[in-house]
């Protein structure tokens, strides 16, 4: 065991989706971190970050929910690891808004009846690419994903707006390609990697999702990708769960498995496929993985 | 409304509304010089009758009724592309948040506000459970929006894959969460 690895330890905010519709993301994150010997401890009693609905309705509520989470997370050792791109964006936005607005900070601190700690918030991608490091990640690969053509899908909130997530370049990020590239997978160049999937319109206006996510699938297919890779349970819901409807609406057959990035990374790191939630995906990735000799 | 002639006068231009938007969003409305970059990158523009740059122009002219009467603000996905690309640092995504809030305050639910209904139920879930209860969110949304059969076939598929939970337990610290809601409510009455 590498001694530097064991020093990495994080508090973990899974977010609501990872306990329900996006449970594969949670399972594979835990599996991956265990395989890489990175410590991960879930923040007890964390609450919903409010996602888009809270800031749509009431900014103070949105900031207060996130501030409460930051203060709960402060009880657990290590920087805060966040898997969901939307939760990550809300937590970082809160820190960004409160940093230069003492008036707002006062209101938020009154709302949560406590102070907002300076907790470092990091997306899993950042932890893997920067803290753990790509070289080490490459060394941890037991089953190279060579031959698998992956379309890395960033969506909106991982990189936008530039001053909030500070994860990578806003208009031309490469962090997902670099991370999955370390496993030997091939990444494709495609047009729609930063376009919106329709996000939470999935409940209120599914027609929007069929159009936007349909365009994303079409673009990935045109670029010759075998599969999509995402880092957000909302994107996954739209691209995987609604894929059949998209196929019916557009008359195009995609059959494009949509992986959470941690599923592919954990598979490469030697975590047994049975522990990665592949059977929970609506578009089964098993035929593809068999074809590429990855099972 | 959409096709009527626009007359600019002190009667039709509501500049108080503009000031409210600026204060809620923390972003300047006047800085927009109509380059159209926001609209060029907006994934939702084809669903809107007023694309983002036109919303900005109408706002500059104090034409609040035209903005609130339409569906455009309810079709903003909060993807932040406009705010990211604006060369003049107008935070259009924050302005859209402010417009939705003002619309809700002024008119309550509109025919275009399925989005706001979903928002409200989402927030109710936080207040009741502490976290999202996706099954309830979907079911109550269908009942309240009158689309009883929406996604009917999707539910069982999700359930069988363990992606929806039939039952949901409350967070242990639910009283603390309720207190946050209550304190914000109190603040609304006094300082906000």
């Amino acid at each position: 065991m590498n001694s530097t690895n064991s020093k990495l330890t994080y508090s973990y905010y899974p977010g609501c989706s990872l306990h329900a519709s996006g449970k594969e993301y949670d399972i594979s994150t835990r599996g991956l971190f265990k395989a890489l010997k990175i410590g991960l401890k879930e923040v007890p009693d964390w609450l919903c970050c409010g996602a888009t609905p809270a800031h749509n309705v009431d900014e103070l509520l949105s900031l207060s929910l996130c501030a409460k989470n930051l203060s709960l997370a402060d009880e657990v050792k290590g920087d805060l690891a966040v898997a969901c791109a939307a939760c990550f964006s809300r937590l970082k936005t809160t820190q960004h808004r409160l940093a230069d607005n003492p008036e707002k900070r006062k209101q938020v601190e009154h709302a949560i009846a406590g102070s907002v700690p300076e907790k470092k918030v990091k997306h899993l991608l950042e932890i893997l690419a920067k803290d753990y490091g790509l070289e080490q990640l490459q060394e941890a690969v037991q089953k190279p994903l060579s031959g698998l053509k992956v379309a890395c899908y960033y969506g909106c909130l991982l990189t936008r707006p530039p001053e909030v997530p500070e994860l990578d370049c806003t208009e031309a990020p490469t962090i997902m390609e670099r991370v999955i590239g370390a496993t030997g997978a091939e990444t494709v160049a495609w047009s729609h990697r930063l376009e919106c999937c329709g996000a939470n319109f999935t409940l209120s206006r599914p027609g929007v999702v069929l159009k936007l996510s349909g365009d994303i699938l079409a673009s990935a297919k045109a670029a010759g990708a075998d599969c999509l890779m995402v880092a957000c349970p909302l994107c996954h819901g739209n691209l995987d769960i609604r894929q059949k409807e998209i196929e019916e609406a557009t008359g195009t057959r995609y059959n494009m498995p949509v992986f959470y990035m941690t599923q592919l990374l954990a598979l490469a790191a030697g975590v047994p496929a049975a522990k990665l939630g592949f059977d929970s995906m609506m578009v089964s990735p098993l035929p593809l993985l068999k074809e590429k000799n990855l099972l | 409304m959409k096709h009527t002639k626009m007359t600019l006068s002190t009667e039709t231009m509501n500049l108080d509304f503009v000031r409210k938007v600026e204060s809620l969003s923390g972003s300047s409305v006047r800085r927009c010089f109509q380059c159209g970059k926001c609209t060029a990158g907006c994934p939702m523009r084809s669903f809107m009758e007023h694309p983002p740059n036109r919303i900005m122009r109408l706002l500059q002219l104090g034409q609040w009724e035209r903005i609130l009467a339409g569906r455009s603000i309810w079709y903003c996905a909060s993807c932040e592309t406009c705010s990211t690309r604006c060369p003049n640092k107008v935070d259009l995504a924050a302005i859209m948040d402010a417009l939705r809030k003002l619309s809700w305050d002024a008119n309550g639910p509109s025919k275009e506000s399925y989005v706001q209904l979903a928002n409200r139920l989402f927030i109710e879930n936080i207040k009741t459970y502490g976290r999202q209860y996706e099954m309830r969110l979907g079911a109550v949304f269908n009942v309240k929006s009158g689309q009883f059969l929406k996604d009917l076939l999707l539910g069982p598929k999700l359930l069988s894959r363990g992606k929806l939970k039939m039952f949901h337990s409350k967070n242990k610290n639910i009283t603390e969460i309720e207190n946050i809601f209550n304190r914000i409510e109190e603040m609304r009455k006094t300082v906000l």
Side-chain angles (χ1 to χ4, degrees):
Chain A
M1 175 179 156
N2 192 321
S3 61
T4 50
N5 296 3
S6 59
K7 281 185 195 158
L8 288 180
T9 175
Y10 296 88
S11 46
Y12 174 47
Y13 180 84
C16 305
S17 300
L18 274 77
H19 276 211
S21 60
K23 63 173 191 156
E24 309 99 293
Y25 199 7
D26 186 49
I27 300 166
S28 55
T29 297
R30 291 172 196 272
L32 173 67
F33 274 53
K34 205 172 155 195
L36 301 180
K37 300 188 174 66
I38 308 176
L40 203 60
K41 188 169 182 297
E42 185 166 336
V43 174
D45 290 327
W46 57 266
L47 48 140
C48 175
C49 70
T52 307
H55 74 78
N56 261 197
V57 174
D58 184 342
E59 194 201 21
L60 181 58
L61 175 65
S62 167
L63 298 177
S64 302
L65 293 172
C66 288
K68 179 69 185 170
N69 278 315
L70 290 169
S71 94
L72 289 168
D74 207 34
E75 307 286 314
V76 185
K77 213 181 121 207
D79 294 343
L80 184 61
V82 187
C84 167
C87 303
F88 170 67
S89 165
R90 288 329 301 166
L91 290 163
K92 292 282 273 193
T93 300
T94 302
Q95 292 185 321
H96 184 75
R97 287 276 153 84
L98 297 187
D100 55 359
N101 197 332
E103 183 60 27
K104 204 142 262 180
R105 180 179 284 269
K106 230 173 84 186
Q107 291 171 357
V108 168
E109 294 191 329
H110 175 73
I112 67 166
S115 60
V116 188
E118 295 299 319
K119 184 89 172 167
K120 190 121 180 98
V121 176
K122 289 179 176 169
H123 190 267
L124 301 184
L125 279 167
E126 199 174 346
I127 292 170
L128 294 167
K130 293 175 189 163
D131 298 0
Y132 190 75
L134 294 175
E135 270 176 38
Q136 266 204 89
L137 199 59
Q138 219 165 350
E139 281 166 30
V141 171
Q142 295 186 9
K143 192 189 284 180
L145 304 185
S146 35
L148 189 68
K149 284 191 200 159
V150 185
C152 295
Y153 176 60
Y154 290 81
C156 310
L157 299 175
L158 270 180
T159 60
R160 286 196 288 263
E163 64 279 8
V164 172
E166 294 176 307
L167 184 67
D168 200 357
C169 171
T170 308
E171 296 288 1
T174 54
I175 192 165
M176 286 178 97
E177 279 87 355
R178 279 182 278 137
V179 167
I180 197 65
T183 69
E186 197 183 315
T187 53
V188 300
W190 61 305
S191 56
H192 277 54
R193 56 196 204 122
L194 293 163
E195 294 296 320
C196 177
C197 67
N200 64 343
F201 284 112
T202 195
L203 186 63
S204 50
R205 297 280 178 197
V208 168
V209 172
L210 299 190
K211 167 80 176 76
L212 299 189
S213 292
D215 290 350
I216 291 164
L217 289 167
S219 164
K221 192 184 162 109
D226 296 321
C227 59
L228 277 157
M229 182 177 99
V230 300
C232 172
L234 282 177
C235 303
H236 193 269
N238 288 338
L239 293 164
D240 176 56
I241 296 175
R242 295 223 180 254
Q243 193 172 130
K244 193 143 189 71
E245 278 170 81
I246 292 168
E247 291 182 340
E248 278 160 18
T250 56
T252 317
R253 177 111 171 101
Y254 291 110
N255 195 26
M256 177 87 70
V258 184
F259 291 102
Y260 284 108
M261 56 160 204
T262 43
Q263 285 179 302
L264 286 178
L265 290 167
L267 185 68
V271 179
K275 291 188 175 173
L276 295 175
F278 290 145
D279 51 351
S280 294
M281 293 156 70
M282 299 293 257
V283 180
S284 172
L286 300 178
L288 172 67
L289 294 174
K290 271 186 202 135
E291 184 197 316
K292 304 279 174 187
N293 287 324
L294 293 170
L295 280 183
Chain B
M1 169 66 72
K2 212 162 126 190
H3 302 291
T4 51
K5 204 168 136 191
M6 193 190 302
T7 316
L8 298 182
S9 68
T10 43
E11 281 81 47
T12 64
M13 294 172 76
N14 184 342
L15 297 179
D16 274 348
F17 183 83
V18 181
R19 273 187 282 276
K20 255 189 222 164
V21 170
E22 291 196 316
S23 124
L24 273 171
S25 65
S27 174
S28 166
V29 165
R30 273 155 285 189
R31 291 178 74 107
C32 172
F33 54 25
Q34 289 293 309
C35 72
K37 219 167 152 82
C38 49
T39 299
C42 178
M44 301 299 290
R45 65 190 179 281
S46 60
F47 296 94
M48 299 173 170
E49 76 276 70
H50 301 308
N53 70 307
R54 204 187 300 160
I55 291 274
M56 286 308 295
R57 191 68 188 127
L58 287 169
L59 203 47
Q60 288 174 333
L61 298 176
Q63 300 297 304
W64 65 286
E65 282 175 310
R66 280 172 197 260
I67 296 172
L68 298 195
R71 64 170 179 271
S72 303
I73 58 173
W74 303 110
Y75 276 83
C76 156
S78 300
C79 75
E80 305 266 1
T81 309
C82 48
S83 301
T84 295
R85 294 184 182 165
C86 176
N88 248 0
K89 292 207 182 331
V90 174
D91 191 347
L92 217 73
I95 287 176
M96 288 290 186
D97 269 349
L99 289 171
R100 280 184 286 259
K101 178 162 179 17
L102 290 171
S103 167
W104 187 261
D105 290 352
N107 306 325
S110 78
K111 65 181 190 318
E112 299 295 351
S113 69
Y114 277 173
V115 178
Q116 203 69 315
L117 172 63
N119 287 348
R120 190 162 58 77
L121 297 174
F122 192 94
I123 289 166
E124 274 174 21
N125 266 354
I126 304 178
K127 203 174 173 182
T128 316
Y129 301 99
R131 295 178 192 170
Q132 280 318 306
Y133 181 5
E134 292 169 337
M135 176 94 155
R136 181 182 183 275
L137 191 63
V140 179
F141 179 84
N142 281 9
V143 171
K144 299 226 168 169
S145 65
Q147 308 169 93
F148 299 100
L149 303 179
K150 181 176 151 286
D151 293 335
L152 194 67
L153 298 172
L154 213 49
K157 283 188 199 159
L158 293 174
L159 269 174
S160 69
R161 283 172 171 78
K163 280 173 161 284
L164 275 183
K165 285 192 263 184
M166 281 296 264
F167 304 101
H168 193 87
S169 54
K170 288 183 182 189
N171 264 25
K172 272 188 231 141
N173 54 355
I174 196 73
T175 331
E176 278 176 62
I177 298 168
E178 278 168 10
N179 287 340
I180 295 176
F181 276 86
N182 293 339
R183 284 190 214 105
I184 290 176
E185 200 55 43
E186 277 306 306
M187 272 193 271
R188 286 240 167 284
K189 283 182 203 150
T190 52
V191 288
L192 299 173

